[in-house]
Amino acid sequence: MNDSCPVPTPTHFDTVTYTPTPRTVPLARRHITTLLTTWGHPALALNAALITSELCTNAILHGRLPGRLYRVETSLTARSLRIAVTDPKGESLPVHRTPAPDTTTGRGPLIVQRLANRWAVEYLTVGKTVWAELDL
């Protein structure tokens, strides 16, 4: 018996691998903005760029292992846009917390939760994928 949900076939798909350094976050953000404009959905670009920024930052801060890269996959179906960031450190999961008003960190999962229609973590044999979806 197969109890998994069918995954819609993407009309567009892109994948980019990055070194886990802070300078790659604006690169990933610009890349997804360009993709969405090219794919005909510029209205999604702002929220998608912010989600990408948060997921990439978390991969760099909490999912980095020496000598390992992280990957950003973007897929578009007839109904939604999915941004998925995979890093090699599966034991370090996103944590929901309420940061103090004067702190500058700790808001990534909260921002993703507020902007995305859905988001989750997929556990892999090595590492994890954190994904978020925006409905069209």
Side-chain angles (χ1 to χ4, degrees), residues 11-129:
T11 57
H12 297 286
F13 179 81
D14 182 78
T15 184
V16 181
T17 303
Y18 296 100
T19 57
T21 61
R23 70 175 189 81
T24 62
V25 175
L27 296 174
R29 197 171 44 237
R30 279 191 299 270
H31 184 70
I32 196 157
T33 300
T34 301
L35 282 177
L36 289 173
T37 300
T38 302
W39 293 350
H41 293 278
L44 294 176
L46 183 61
N47 285 348
L50 187 51
I51 289 169
T52 300
S53 184
E54 294 301 329
L55 295 180
C56 290
T57 298
N58 281 343
I60 292 165
L61 293 176
H62 308 294
R64 176 175 33 190
L65 288 175
R68 302 289 303 273
L69 304 173
Y70 75 97
R71 180 178 66 243
V72 179
E73 292 182 349
T74 310
S75 56
L76 182 70
T77 68
R79 299 177 71 187
S80 65
L81 170 75
R82 178 181 279 216
I83 303 156
V85 176
T86 302
D87 68 58
K89 201 168 182 183
E91 66 275 10
S92 180
L93 301 174
V95 176
H96 293 280
R97 60 180 106 169
T98 304
D102 60 340
T103 62
T104 59
T105 61
R107 290 174 178 79
L110 182 60
I111 291 169
V112 172
Q113 178 182 357
R114 296 289 167 119
L115 293 176
N117 296 100
R118 289 164 298 289
W119 79 285
V121 178
E122 292 180 14
Y123 306 93
L124 307 172
T125 302
V126 175
K128 67 181 172 300
T129 298

